Structure formats: C-alpha cells, structure tokens
Amino acid sequence: MATRKKTTTTTATTTPAATATPAKPRTRSTKPAASRTPAAASTAEAQQERRQAILSTALDLLQSQGYTATSMLAIARDAGASKETLYSWFGNREGLFVQLIEQHIAQHLTPLLSASVSDAAVLPVHLRAVLAFWLSPATLALTRAAISETNPALAQALNTQGLQATTSHLAIVLASLGLSCPVNSDQGAYLLSSLLGPYQLSALLSGETVSLDDSLSAHIEDVLASCAVTATETVSEAEESAPAKAEKKKKDKGGKDKKDKKKKKKHDLGMLSD
C-alpha cells in the first residue's frame, strides 16, 4: 500500500515597499571660490612659482651659453621639468622667451617708468637707472636673442613693451621739465639713443659687461647739457625776435622815406626847368 506524502504549502508574506525619501534640493554655496577650493588656489600659486622658476632658468642659460644653445630640452633639464610641461605652458621656445621678456620688463623696467621726475636735479640719477636696465647683462642677452631670432615675436615684445615705453616716458619727462633736445623728431627716442649709443652696440658685439662708472655719469651730464642749451637758445631767439623785427621795420621805413624824398626832389626840379 502506497504511503501518501504530506505536502505543506508555504505562503509567502509580502511586505510593503519602503517609501523613498525625497532628495534635498542642492543649494549653491555663497562662499568665495578660494575658500571653497584651497587646494586649487594652492595649486595655481605653485604652478605660477614653477613657471617663474623655469623662466629664471632660461634667462641664466641664455646669459651663459647664448640663444642658439638654449633649447627647450636644455631648459627642461636644468629646471628639473619635462619638455611636455614646457610645451604645454609656453607653446614653443619663442613663446617661452616672449614671456621671459615680458616678465623681465615688468619686474625691472616698469617700476622705473612709473616713477615721477618733477625736479631736473634728480633727472641724471633717473636716467642712470634707466641705462642700468638697458645695459644690464640680462637685457643685453635678451636683446641679442631678439636680434638673432627670425621669428619677429621677440623683437616686437622688446620694442613695444621696452623701447617704445621708455622713449615715451623720456619724452614726457623732458616736456615736463621744459627741456628740448636738438632734434625736431621724437625727443625721447633721441635722448635714449644718445645715451645708449657709445655703450650698447659695443656691449652687444663684444659680449662684455658695461661698467657703470663715473664716465657714464659724465656722459649723461653732457647729453643733458646739450638739451638744456638748445632750450635756452630757443627761448633767447624768441625773446629777441620782436625787437629785431621792429628795428628792421624801422630801417625799411627809413629807406623808403629817403627814396620818396629823392623822387619828389627830382620831380620838383623837373617842374622848375619847364
């Protein structure tokens, strides 16, 4: 006889699904970006310091071995950076040196050109400081690089931000002090070229450092003396022009009166003879 198996039915108990909690709306922080991301600010500062260190390394190499030998690889090696970093930050070698020129001018020349020169007595000291910038080993090295590079970007940066800014500043200073150099063209350009002339070309060609000794101070005084004399002579001529014109007019009038008298006398004699 077969034994029937007892089966038990298990009823599954279903539990209601848990109710989802609605997400809270995101509120925009009103804190400054710097306070919200101190790590990002620190990274940006560190990157800027790193860029300046690389540019300083490039300037040192430029002064020691010249522009041709100062490659991106050499800069990266001495700066402890990768070539990929240099190309990422500066684009190429020309871009790196353009930024180097801009940084050099901003640090060493712009403060000089921002100074106010309201007294002629301090002008020689101011001009000596300006010449010290243009005749410094770093500026001379950058000038050689700008001359030798076929890409005009370096020359344009040095000319626009350096030379033109300097000549414009000097022209304003001369005008404010009532000085005029013996030239009808750009006064500032004439003054700068007169001051640099005996020194810059020789330093660029020889590679030697210019000595800022007493002879430079004497040269500055001589150039300024020529400008001052020109201004004095111009004023003297202007002051004497009015009396001179009056005297000439008087003489011309006297000569005309004499001629008129002679003509009248001849006319009267002719009338008597008739």
Side-chain angles (χ1 to χ4, degrees):
M1 182 174 175
T3 305
R4 294 181 62 185
K5 292 182 179 180
K6 188 176 179 180
T7 60
T8 58
T9 305
T10 304
T11 305
T13 304
T14 60
T15 57
T19 305
T21 303
K24 292 182 179 180
R26 296 180 64 183
T27 58
R28 188 169 185 174
S29 175
T30 57
K31 295 181 180 180
S35 62
R36 283 187 283 119
T37 57
S42 178
T43 301
E45 292 176 359
Q47 181 175 324
Q48 182 61 27
E49 291 178 359
R50 189 74 179 116
R51 291 171 71 98
Q52 292 182 356
I54 291 172
L55 292 175
S56 297
T57 299
L59 183 57
D60 291 341
L61 287 173
L62 177 67
Q63 294 183 72
S64 63
Q65 61 188 29
Y67 182 67
T68 303
T70 307
S71 63
M72 293 290 268
L73 178 59
I75 297 171
R77 182 187 63 241
D78 280 32
S82 65
K83 283 178 59 179
E84 290 74 14
T85 298
L86 267 63
Y87 280 104
S88 174
W89 286 356
F90 304 104
N92 52 30
R93 187 174 73 145
E94 290 74 24
L96 187 150
F97 275 95
V98 166
Q99 290 193 33
L100 176 56
I101 290 172
E102 293 173 348
Q103 175 178 282
H104 181 67
I105 290 173
Q107 290 179 347
H108 302 287
L109 179 62
T110 301
L112 292 175
L113 304 186
S114 301
S116 175
V117 183
S118 56
D119 187 355
V122 302
L123 181 56
V125 178
H126 180 68
L127 293 178
R128 185 182 178 88
V130 173
L131 287 183
F133 167 81
W134 284 106
L135 297 175
S136 68
T139 306
L140 289 170
L142 290 169
T143 303
R144 291 189 198 97
I147 295 172
S148 62
E149 174 56 54
T150 56
N151 188 327
L154 272 68
Q156 288 175 355
L158 187 62
N159 181 54
T160 303
Q161 300 183 41
L163 282 173
Q164 290 183 17
T166 303
T167 56
S168 297
H169 167 75
L170 294 180
I172 292 172
V173 170
L174 287 172
S176 67
L177 296 176
L179 299 176
S180 178
C181 295
V183 64
N184 294 325
S185 57
D186 189 337
Q187 293 279 311
Y190 174 85
L191 178 58
L192 183 62
S193 62
S194 298
L195 292 170
L196 287 177
Y199 301 95
Q200 188 183 45
L201 182 59
S202 175
L204 287 173
L205 295 176
S206 66
E208 297 178 355
T209 302
V210 178
S211 177
L212 303 179
D213 53 16
D214 293 340
S215 64
L216 181 62
S217 298
H219 173 63
I220 292 172
E221 294 288 354
D222 290 342
V223 173
L224 285 179
S226 68
C227 293
V229 168
T230 302
T232 304
E233 289 177 350
T234 302
V235 172
S236 300
E237 290 173 1
E239 291 175 347
E240 294 176 359
S241 60
K245 288 181 180 179
E247 184 65 23
K248 184 179 179 182
K249 186 176 181 181
K250 184 177 179 181
K251 288 182 179 180
D252 292 343
K253 184 179 179 182
K256 186 175 182 299
D257 291 343
K258 287 182 180 180
K259 288 182 180 179
D260 290 342
K261 286 181 180 179
K262 286 182 179 181
K263 286 183 180 180
K264 187 174 183 303
K265 186 175 182 180
K266 286 182 180 180
H267 176 72
D268 293 342
L269 290 174
M271 292 287 290
L272 291 173
S273 62
D274 290 343

PDB file of all heavy atoms in Angstrom, residues 167-206:
ATOM      1  N   THR A 167      61.003 105.412 -24.473  1.00  0.00           N
ATOM      2  CA  THR A 167      61.098 106.687 -25.193  1.00  0.00           C
ATOM      3  C   THR A 167      59.886 107.582 -24.918  1.00  0.00           C
ATOM      4  O   THR A 167      60.024 108.799 -24.801  1.00  0.00           O
ATOM      5  CB  THR A 167      61.236 106.445 -26.707  1.00  0.00           C
ATOM      6  OG1 THR A 167      60.131 105.644 -27.176  1.00  0.00           O
ATOM      7  CG2 THR A 167      62.533 105.720 -27.018  1.00  0.00           C
ATOM      8  N   SER A 168      58.704 106.993 -24.789  1.00  0.00           N
ATOM      9  CA  SER A 168      57.516 107.785 -24.456  1.00  0.00           C
ATOM     10  C   SER A 168      57.658 108.409 -23.075  1.00  0.00           C
ATOM     11  O   SER A 168      57.320 109.578 -22.860  1.00  0.00           O
ATOM     12  CB  SER A 168      56.267 106.909 -24.502  1.00  0.00           C
ATOM     13  OG  SER A 168      56.046 106.405 -25.801  1.00  0.00           O
ATOM     14  N   HIS A 169      58.170 107.632 -22.143  1.00  0.00           N
ATOM     15  CA  HIS A 169      58.390 108.134 -20.783  1.00  0.00           C
ATOM     16  C   HIS A 169      59.395 109.284 -20.780  1.00  0.00           C
ATOM     17  O   HIS A 169      59.160 110.327 -20.148  1.00  0.00           O
ATOM     18  CB  HIS A 169      58.883 106.990 -19.899  1.00  0.00           C
ATOM     19  CG  HIS A 169      59.427 107.438 -18.578  1.00  0.00           C
ATOM     20  ND1 HIS A 169      58.626 107.863 -17.543  1.00  0.00           N
ATOM     21  CD2 HIS A 169      60.714 107.530 -18.123  1.00  0.00           C
ATOM     22  CE1 HIS A 169      59.374 108.201 -16.503  1.00  0.00           C
ATOM     23  NE2 HIS A 169      60.641 108.006 -16.829  1.00  0.00           N
ATOM     24  N   LEU A 170      60.497 109.126 -21.497  1.00  0.00           N
ATOM     25  CA  LEU A 170      61.524 110.173 -21.524  1.00  0.00           C
ATOM     26  C   LEU A 170      61.015 111.444 -22.187  1.00  0.00           C
ATOM     27  O   LEU A 170      61.359 112.555 -21.757  1.00  0.00           O
ATOM     28  CB  LEU A 170      62.769 109.661 -22.248  1.00  0.00           C
ATOM     29  CG  LEU A 170      63.529 108.520 -21.555  1.00  0.00           C
ATOM     30  CD1 LEU A 170      64.745 108.104 -22.374  1.00  0.00           C
ATOM     31  CD2 LEU A 170      63.948 108.920 -20.142  1.00  0.00           C
ATOM     32  N   ALA A 171      60.201 111.306 -23.223  1.00  0.00           N
ATOM     33  CA  ALA A 171      59.633 112.488 -23.879  1.00  0.00           C
ATOM     34  C   ALA A 171      58.745 113.261 -22.916  1.00  0.00           C
ATOM     35  O   ALA A 171      58.771 114.509 -22.882  1.00  0.00           O
ATOM     36  CB  ALA A 171      58.839 112.063 -25.111  1.00  0.00           C
ATOM     37  N   ILE A 172      57.965 112.560 -22.129  1.00  0.00           N
ATOM     38  CA  ILE A 172      57.086 113.211 -21.147  1.00  0.00           C
ATOM     39  C   ILE A 172      57.923 113.910 -20.078  1.00  0.00           C
ATOM     40  O   ILE A 172      57.616 115.046 -19.669  1.00  0.00           O
ATOM     41  CB  ILE A 172      56.146 112.170 -20.512  1.00  0.00           C
ATOM     42  CG1 ILE A 172      55.151 111.657 -21.554  1.00  0.00           C
ATOM     43  CG2 ILE A 172      55.402 112.764 -19.323  1.00  0.00           C
ATOM     44  CD1 ILE A 172      54.308 110.487 -21.084  1.00  0.00           C
ATOM     45  N   VAL A 173      58.988 113.263 -19.625  1.00  0.00           N
ATOM     46  CA  VAL A 173      59.851 113.850 -18.602  1.00  0.00           C
ATOM     47  C   VAL A 173      60.509 115.124 -19.118  1.00  0.00           C
ATOM     48  O   VAL A 173      60.532 116.161 -18.430  1.00  0.00           O
ATOM     49  CB  VAL A 173      60.922 112.839 -18.146  1.00  0.00           C
ATOM     50  CG1 VAL A 173      61.970 113.509 -17.276  1.00  0.00           C
ATOM     51  CG2 VAL A 173      60.270 111.687 -17.384  1.00  0.00           C
ATOM     52  N   LEU A 174      61.046 115.088 -20.341  1.00  0.00           N
ATOM     53  CA  LEU A 174      61.683 116.276 -20.920  1.00  0.00           C
ATOM     54  C   LEU A 174      60.696 117.430 -21.029  1.00  0.00           C
ATOM     55  O   LEU A 174      61.016 118.577 -20.680  1.00  0.00           O
ATOM     56  CB  LEU A 174      62.254 115.943 -22.301  1.00  0.00           C
ATOM     57  CG  LEU A 174      63.514 115.064 -22.337  1.00  0.00           C
ATOM     58  CD1 LEU A 174      63.845 114.674 -23.764  1.00  0.00           C
ATOM     59  CD2 LEU A 174      64.697 115.778 -21.693  1.00  0.00           C
ATOM     60  N   ALA A 175      59.509 117.144 -21.512  1.00  0.00           N
ATOM     61  CA  ALA A 175      58.495 118.194 -21.676  1.00  0.00           C
ATOM     62  C   ALA A 175      58.090 118.781 -20.323  1.00  0.00           C
ATOM     63  O   ALA A 175      57.918 119.998 -20.189  1.00  0.00           O
ATOM     64  CB  ALA A 175      57.279 117.629 -22.403  1.00  0.00           C
ATOM     65  N   SER A 176      57.941 117.924 -19.320  1.00  0.00           N
ATOM     66  CA  SER A 176      57.521 118.413 -18.003  1.00  0.00           C
ATOM     67  C   SER A 176      58.579 119.289 -17.352  1.00  0.00           C
ATOM     68  O   SER A 176      58.262 120.169 -16.545  1.00  0.00           O
ATOM     69  CB  SER A 176      57.198 117.222 -17.085  1.00  0.00           C
ATOM     70  OG  SER A 176      58.366 116.475 -16.791  1.00  0.00           O
ATOM     71  N   LEU A 177      59.855 119.073 -17.702  1.00  0.00           N
ATOM     72  CA  LEU A 177      60.948 119.869 -17.139  1.00  0.00           C
ATOM     73  C   LEU A 177      61.343 121.039 -18.030  1.00  0.00           C
ATOM     74  O   LEU A 177      62.280 121.769 -17.712  1.00  0.00           O
ATOM     75  CB  LEU A 177      62.171 118.971 -16.894  1.00  0.00           C
ATOM     76  CG  LEU A 177      61.981 117.851 -15.864  1.00  0.00           C
ATOM     77  CD1 LEU A 177      63.231 116.988 -15.784  1.00  0.00           C
ATOM     78  CD2 LEU A 177      61.637 118.414 -14.493  1.00  0.00           C
ATOM     79  N   GLY A 178      60.655 121.211 -19.150  1.00  0.00           N
ATOM     80  CA  GLY A 178      60.955 122.321 -20.043  1.00  0.00           C
ATOM     81  C   GLY A 178      62.232 122.171 -20.828  1.00  0.00           C
ATOM     82  O   GLY A 178      62.831 123.162 -21.242  1.00  0.00           O
ATOM     83  N   LEU A 179      62.670 120.935 -21.045  1.00  0.00           N
ATOM     84  CA  LEU A 179      63.895 120.682 -21.794  1.00  0.00           C
ATOM     85  C   LEU A 179      63.557 120.258 -23.218  1.00  0.00           C
ATOM     86  O   LEU A 179      62.534 119.629 -23.466  1.00  0.00           O
ATOM     87  CB  LEU A 179      64.720 119.583 -21.124  1.00  0.00           C
ATOM     88  CG  LEU A 179      65.203 119.872 -19.698  1.00  0.00           C
ATOM     89  CD1 LEU A 179      65.913 118.659 -19.139  1.00  0.00           C
ATOM     90  CD2 LEU A 179      66.113 121.088 -19.678  1.00  0.00           C
ATOM     91  N   SER A 180      64.447 120.620 -24.137  1.00  0.00           N
ATOM     92  CA  SER A 180      64.257 120.250 -25.541  1.00  0.00           C
ATOM     93  C   SER A 180      65.601 119.887 -26.147  1.00  0.00           C
ATOM     94  O   SER A 180      66.536 120.686 -26.145  1.00  0.00           O
ATOM     95  CB  SER A 180      63.634 121.418 -26.313  1.00  0.00           C
ATOM     96  OG  SER A 180      63.499 121.092 -27.677  1.00  0.00           O
ATOM     97  N   CYS A 181      65.700 118.669 -26.658  1.00  0.00           N
ATOM     98  CA  CYS A 181      66.940 118.222 -27.299  1.00  0.00           C
ATOM     99  C   CYS A 181      67.020 118.760 -28.723  1.00  0.00           C
ATOM    100  O   CYS A 181      65.996 119.089 -29.327  1.00  0.00           O
ATOM    101  CB  CYS A 181      67.000 116.694 -27.306  1.00  0.00           C
ATOM    102  SG  CYS A 181      67.094 115.968 -25.658  1.00  0.00           S
ATOM    103  N   PRO A 182      68.230 118.868 -29.288  1.00  0.00           N
ATOM    104  CA  PRO A 182      68.409 119.485 -30.607  1.00  0.00           C
ATOM    105  C   PRO A 182      67.959 118.586 -31.754  1.00  0.00           C
ATOM    106  O   PRO A 182      68.756 118.144 -32.582  1.00  0.00           O
ATOM    107  CB  PRO A 182      69.918 119.744 -30.656  1.00  0.00           C
ATOM    108  CG  PRO A 182      70.494 118.673 -29.801  1.00  0.00           C
ATOM    109  CD  PRO A 182      69.514 118.469 -28.689  1.00  0.00           C
ATOM    110  N   VAL A 183      66.671 118.296 -31.817  1.00  0.00           N
ATOM    111  CA  VAL A 183      66.124 117.468 -32.880  1.00  0.00           C
ATOM    112  C   VAL A 183      64.640 117.782 -33.004  1.00  0.00           C
ATOM    113  O   VAL A 183      63.970 118.097 -32.015  1.00  0.00           O
ATOM    114  CB  VAL A 183      66.347 115.970 -32.566  1.00  0.00           C
ATOM    115  CG1 VAL A 183      65.588 115.554 -31.326  1.00  0.00           C
ATOM    116  CG2 VAL A 183      65.953 115.091 -33.737  1.00  0.00           C
ATOM    117  N   ASN A 184      64.133 117.723 -34.221  1.00  0.00           N
ATOM    118  CA  ASN A 184      62.721 118.024 -34.448  1.00  0.00           C
ATOM    119  C   ASN A 184      61.831 116.785 -34.332  1.00  0.00           C
ATOM    120  O   ASN A 184      60.613 116.902 -34.281  1.00  0.00           O
ATOM    121  CB  ASN A 184      62.529 118.652 -35.829  1.00  0.00           C
ATOM    122  CG  ASN A 184      63.194 120.006 -35.933  1.00  0.00           C
ATOM    123  OD1 ASN A 184      63.233 120.756 -34.954  1.00  0.00           O
ATOM    124  ND2 ASN A 184      63.728 120.327 -37.098  1.00  0.00           N
ATOM    125  N   SER A 185      62.459 115.598 -34.315  1.00  0.00           N
ATOM    126  CA  SER A 185      61.682 114.356 -34.259  1.00  0.00           C
ATOM    127  C   SER A 185      61.421 113.975 -32.801  1.00  0.00           C
ATOM    128  O   SER A 185      61.395 114.823 -31.920  1.00  0.00           O
ATOM    129  CB  SER A 185      62.419 113.245 -35.006  1.00  0.00           C
ATOM    130  OG  SER A 185      63.709 113.065 -34.459  1.00  0.00           O
ATOM    131  N   ASP A 186      61.243 112.692 -32.549  1.00  0.00           N
ATOM    132  CA  ASP A 186      60.902 112.190 -31.224  1.00  0.00           C
ATOM    133  C   ASP A 186      62.000 112.530 -30.212  1.00  0.00           C
ATOM    134  O   ASP A 186      63.122 112.044 -30.294  1.00  0.00           O
ATOM    135  CB  ASP A 186      60.712 110.668 -31.312  1.00  0.00           C
ATOM    136  CG  ASP A 186      60.133 110.085 -30.028  1.00  0.00           C
ATOM    137  OD1 ASP A 186      60.273 110.712 -28.969  1.00  0.00           O
ATOM    138  OD2 ASP A 186      59.544 108.990 -30.112  1.00  0.00           O
ATOM    139  N   GLN A 187      61.650 113.357 -29.235  1.00  0.00           N
ATOM    140  CA  GLN A 187      62.627 113.791 -28.233  1.00  0.00           C
ATOM    141  C   GLN A 187      63.108 112.622 -27.373  1.00  0.00           C
ATOM    142  O   GLN A 187      64.298 112.494 -27.082  1.00  0.00           O
ATOM    143  CB  GLN A 187      61.994 114.860 -27.338  1.00  0.00           C
ATOM    144  CG  GLN A 187      61.686 116.164 -28.046  1.00  0.00           C
ATOM    145  CD  GLN A 187      62.910 117.047 -28.179  1.00  0.00           C
ATOM    146  OE1 GLN A 187      63.629 117.277 -27.207  1.00  0.00           O
ATOM    147  NE2 GLN A 187      63.149 117.550 -29.371  1.00  0.00           N
ATOM    148  N   GLY A 188      62.157 111.765 -26.958  1.00  0.00           N
ATOM    149  CA  GLY A 188      62.523 110.631 -26.118  1.00  0.00           C
ATOM    150  C   GLY A 188      63.438 109.652 -26.818  1.00  0.00           C
ATOM    151  O   GLY A 188      64.397 109.135 -26.228  1.00  0.00           O
ATOM    152  N   ALA A 189      63.147 109.377 -28.093  1.00  0.00           N
ATOM    153  CA  ALA A 189      63.980 108.442 -28.858  1.00  0.00           C
ATOM    154  C   ALA A 189      65.381 109.013 -29.057  1.00  0.00           C
ATOM    155  O   ALA A 189      66.379 108.288 -28.971  1.00  0.00           O
ATOM    156  CB  ALA A 189      63.332 108.157 -30.209  1.00  0.00           C
ATOM    157  N   TYR A 190      65.462 110.323 -29.318  1.00  0.00           N
ATOM    158  CA  TYR A 190      66.774 110.960 -29.488  1.00  0.00           C
ATOM    159  C   TYR A 190      67.581 110.872 -28.195  1.00  0.00           C
ATOM    160  O   TYR A 190      68.768 110.541 -28.211  1.00  0.00           O
ATOM    161  CB  TYR A 190      66.601 112.416 -29.892  1.00  0.00           C
ATOM    162  CG  TYR A 190      67.904 113.193 -29.943  1.00  0.00           C
ATOM    163  CD1 TYR A 190      68.702 113.166 -31.088  1.00  0.00           C
ATOM    164  CD2 TYR A 190      68.351 113.923 -28.844  1.00  0.00           C
ATOM    165  CE1 TYR A 190      69.908 113.852 -31.122  1.00  0.00           C
ATOM    166  CE2 TYR A 190      69.551 114.615 -28.872  1.00  0.00           C
ATOM    167  CZ  TYR A 190      70.325 114.577 -30.028  1.00  0.00           C
ATOM    168  OH  TYR A 190      71.519 115.249 -30.060  1.00  0.00           O
ATOM    169  N   LEU A 191      66.931 111.156 -27.067  1.00  0.00           N
ATOM    170  CA  LEU A 191      67.643 111.134 -25.791  1.00  0.00           C
ATOM    171  C   LEU A 191      68.144 109.730 -25.461  1.00  0.00           C
ATOM    172  O   LEU A 191      69.309 109.545 -25.078  1.00  0.00           O
ATOM    173  CB  LEU A 191      66.723 111.634 -24.670  1.00  0.00           C
ATOM    174  CG  LEU A 191      67.312 111.636 -23.258  1.00  0.00           C
ATOM    175  CD1 LEU A 191      68.567 112.497 -23.196  1.00  0.00           C
ATOM    176  CD2 LEU A 191      66.279 112.121 -22.249  1.00  0.00           C
ATOM    177  N   LEU A 192      67.285 108.723 -25.644  1.00  0.00           N
ATOM    178  CA  LEU A 192      67.699 107.359 -25.318  1.00  0.00           C
ATOM    179  C   LEU A 192      68.825 106.879 -26.227  1.00  0.00           C
ATOM    180  O   LEU A 192      69.798 106.275 -25.762  1.00  0.00           O
ATOM    181  CB  LEU A 192      66.508 106.408 -25.417  1.00  0.00           C
ATOM    182  CG  LEU A 192      66.791 104.952 -25.025  1.00  0.00           C
ATOM    183  CD1 LEU A 192      67.231 104.861 -23.573  1.00  0.00           C
ATOM    184  CD2 LEU A 192      65.579 104.072 -25.269  1.00  0.00           C
ATOM    185  N   SER A 193      68.712 107.168 -27.529  1.00  0.00           N
ATOM    186  CA  SER A 193      69.761 106.724 -28.451  1.00  0.00           C
ATOM    187  C   SER A 193      71.077 107.451 -28.181  1.00  0.00           C
ATOM    188  O   SER A 193      72.158 106.859 -28.311  1.00  0.00           O
ATOM    189  CB  SER A 193      69.316 106.951 -29.897  1.00  0.00           C
ATOM    190  OG  SER A 193      69.106 108.336 -30.160  1.00  0.00           O
ATOM    191  N   SER A 194      70.994 108.723 -27.788  1.00  0.00           N
ATOM    192  CA  SER A 194      72.216 109.471 -27.462  1.00  0.00           C
ATOM    193  C   SER A 194      72.896 108.906 -26.215  1.00  0.00           C
ATOM    194  O   SER A 194      74.122 108.840 -26.134  1.00  0.00           O
ATOM    195  CB  SER A 194      71.886 110.953 -27.244  1.00  0.00           C
ATOM    196  OG  SER A 194      71.358 111.533 -28.416  1.00  0.00           O
ATOM    197  N   LEU A 195      72.092 108.492 -25.254  1.00  0.00           N
ATOM    198  CA  LEU A 195      72.646 107.949 -24.016  1.00  0.00           C
ATOM    199  C   LEU A 195      73.220 106.551 -24.218  1.00  0.00           C
ATOM    200  O   LEU A 195      74.284 106.217 -23.709  1.00  0.00           O
ATOM    201  CB  LEU A 195      71.563 107.920 -22.940  1.00  0.00           C
ATOM    202  CG  LEU A 195      71.073 109.293 -22.434  1.00  0.00           C
ATOM    203  CD1 LEU A 195      69.847 109.113 -21.554  1.00  0.00           C
ATOM    204  CD2 LEU A 195      72.168 110.020 -21.678  1.00  0.00           C
ATOM    205  N   LEU A 196      72.492 105.718 -24.984  1.00  0.00           N
ATOM    206  CA  LEU A 196      72.927 104.333 -25.173  1.00  0.00           C
ATOM    207  C   LEU A 196      74.024 104.188 -26.209  1.00  0.00           C
ATOM    208  O   LEU A 196      74.832 103.251 -26.144  1.00  0.00           O
ATOM    209  CB  LEU A 196      71.731 103.468 -25.601  1.00  0.00           C
ATOM    210  CG  LEU A 196      70.683 103.136 -24.544  1.00  0.00           C
ATOM    211  CD1 LEU A 196      69.544 102.349 -25.172  1.00  0.00           C
ATOM    212  CD2 LEU A 196      71.293 102.349 -23.398  1.00  0.00           C
ATOM    213  N   GLY A 197      74.055 105.105 -27.163  1.00  0.00           N
ATOM    214  CA  GLY A 197      74.911 104.975 -28.332  1.00  0.00           C
ATOM    215  C   GLY A 197      76.315 104.462 -28.097  1.00  0.00           C
ATOM    216  O   GLY A 197      76.717 103.432 -28.666  1.00  0.00           O
ATOM    217  N   PRO A 198      77.102 105.103 -27.264  1.00  0.00           N
ATOM    218  CA  PRO A 198      78.503 104.682 -27.110  1.00  0.00           C
ATOM    219  C   PRO A 198      78.679 103.350 -26.382  1.00  0.00           C
ATOM    220  O   PRO A 198      79.766 102.798 -26.376  1.00  0.00           O
ATOM    221  CB  PRO A 198      79.117 105.829 -26.284  1.00  0.00           C
ATOM    222  CG  PRO A 198      78.138 106.942 -26.354  1.00  0.00           C
ATOM    223  CD  PRO A 198      76.802 106.313 -26.501  1.00  0.00           C
ATOM    224  N   TYR A 199      77.657 102.861 -25.757  1.00  0.00           N
ATOM    225  CA  TYR A 199      77.803 101.693 -24.885  1.00  0.00           C
ATOM    226  C   TYR A 199      77.089 100.444 -25.401  1.00  0.00           C
ATOM    227  O   TYR A 199      77.648  99.347 -25.368  1.00  0.00           O
ATOM    228  CB  TYR A 199      77.267 102.019 -23.480  1.00  0.00           C
ATOM    229  CG  TYR A 199      77.961 103.165 -22.814  1.00  0.00           C
ATOM    230  CD1 TYR A 199      77.437 104.456 -22.882  1.00  0.00           C
ATOM    231  CD2 TYR A 199      79.152 102.975 -22.111  1.00  0.00           C
ATOM    232  CE1 TYR A 199      78.080 105.520 -22.262  1.00  0.00           C
ATOM    233  CE2 TYR A 199      79.799 104.027 -21.494  1.00  0.00           C
ATOM    234  CZ  TYR A 199      79.262 105.306 -21.575  1.00  0.00           C
ATOM    235  OH  TYR A 199      79.905 106.358 -20.971  1.00  0.00           O
ATOM    236  N   GLN A 200      75.838 100.576 -25.861  1.00  0.00           N
ATOM    237  CA  GLN A 200      75.031  99.390 -26.164  1.00  0.00           C
ATOM    238  C   GLN A 200      75.593  98.571 -27.313  1.00  0.00           C
ATOM    239  O   GLN A 200      75.716  97.346 -27.211  1.00  0.00           O
ATOM    240  CB  GLN A 200      73.592  99.807 -26.478  1.00  0.00           C
ATOM    241  CG  GLN A 200      72.648  98.623 -26.624  1.00  0.00           C
ATOM    242  CD  GLN A 200      71.251  99.054 -27.013  1.00  0.00           C
ATOM    243  OE1 GLN A 200      71.067  99.889 -27.893  1.00  0.00           O
ATOM    244  NE2 GLN A 200      70.249  98.481 -26.358  1.00  0.00           N
ATOM    245  N   LEU A 201      75.931  99.228 -28.429  1.00  0.00           N
ATOM    246  CA  LEU A 201      76.416  98.493 -29.594  1.00  0.00           C
ATOM    247  C   LEU A 201      77.695  97.738 -29.272  1.00  0.00           C
ATOM    248  O   LEU A 201      77.854  96.561 -29.634  1.00  0.00           O
ATOM    249  CB  LEU A 201      76.640  99.452 -30.767  1.00  0.00           C
ATOM    250  CG  LEU A 201      77.109  98.798 -32.070  1.00  0.00           C
ATOM    251  CD1 LEU A 201      76.098  97.762 -32.548  1.00  0.00           C
ATOM    252  CD2 LEU A 201      77.348  99.860 -33.145  1.00  0.00           C
ATOM    253  N   SER A 202      78.601  98.390 -28.567  1.00  0.00           N
ATOM    254  CA  SER A 202      79.857  97.733 -28.197  1.00  0.00           C
ATOM    255  C   SER A 202      79.595  96.521 -27.307  1.00  0.00           C
ATOM    256  O   SER A 202      80.206  95.462 -27.481  1.00  0.00           O
ATOM    257  CB  SER A 202      80.764  98.729 -27.476  1.00  0.00           C
ATOM    258  OG  SER A 202      81.925  98.104 -26.999  1.00  0.00           O
ATOM    259  N   ALA A 203      78.675  96.656 -26.351  1.00  0.00           N
ATOM    260  CA  ALA A 203      78.370  95.551 -25.443  1.00  0.00           C
ATOM    261  C   ALA A 203      77.691  94.403 -26.170  1.00  0.00           C
ATOM    262  O   ALA A 203      77.961  93.235 -25.901  1.00  0.00           O
ATOM    263  CB  ALA A 203      77.491  96.054 -24.305  1.00  0.00           C
ATOM    264  N   LEU A 204      76.807  94.721 -27.123  1.00  0.00           N
ATOM    265  CA  LEU A 204      76.119  93.667 -27.872  1.00  0.00           C
ATOM    266  C   LEU A 204      77.092  92.857 -28.723  1.00  0.00           C
ATOM    267  O   LEU A 204      76.967  91.636 -28.841  1.00  0.00           O
ATOM    268  CB  LEU A 204      75.043  94.285 -28.771  1.00  0.00           C
ATOM    269  CG  LEU A 204      73.789  94.815 -28.076  1.00  0.00           C
ATOM    270  CD1 LEU A 204      72.905  95.554 -29.068  1.00  0.00           C
ATOM    271  CD2 LEU A 204      73.016  93.678 -27.416  1.00  0.00           C
ATOM    272  N   LEU A 205      78.070  93.553 -29.316  1.00  0.00           N
ATOM    273  CA  LEU A 205      79.012  92.870 -30.201  1.00  0.00           C
ATOM    274  C   LEU A 205      80.101  92.126 -29.436  1.00  0.00           C
ATOM    275  O   LEU A 205      80.508  91.031 -29.830  1.00  0.00           O
ATOM    276  CB  LEU A 205      79.646  93.886 -31.159  1.00  0.00           C
ATOM    277  CG  LEU A 205      78.691  94.557 -32.161  1.00  0.00           C
ATOM    278  CD1 LEU A 205      79.433  95.596 -32.976  1.00  0.00           C
ATOM    279  CD2 LEU A 205      78.049  93.523 -33.069  1.00  0.00           C
ATOM    280  N   SER A 206      80.561  92.718 -28.350  1.00  0.00           N
ATOM    281  CA  SER A 206      81.679  92.122 -27.619  1.00  0.00           C
ATOM    282  C   SER A 206      81.241  91.117 -26.565  1.00  0.00           C
ATOM    283  O   SER A 206      82.007  90.218 -26.196  1.00  0.00           O
ATOM    284  CB  SER A 206      82.500  93.223 -26.944  1.00  0.00           C
ATOM    285  OG  SER A 206      81.735  93.864 -25.933  1.00  0.00           O
TER     286      SER A 206
END
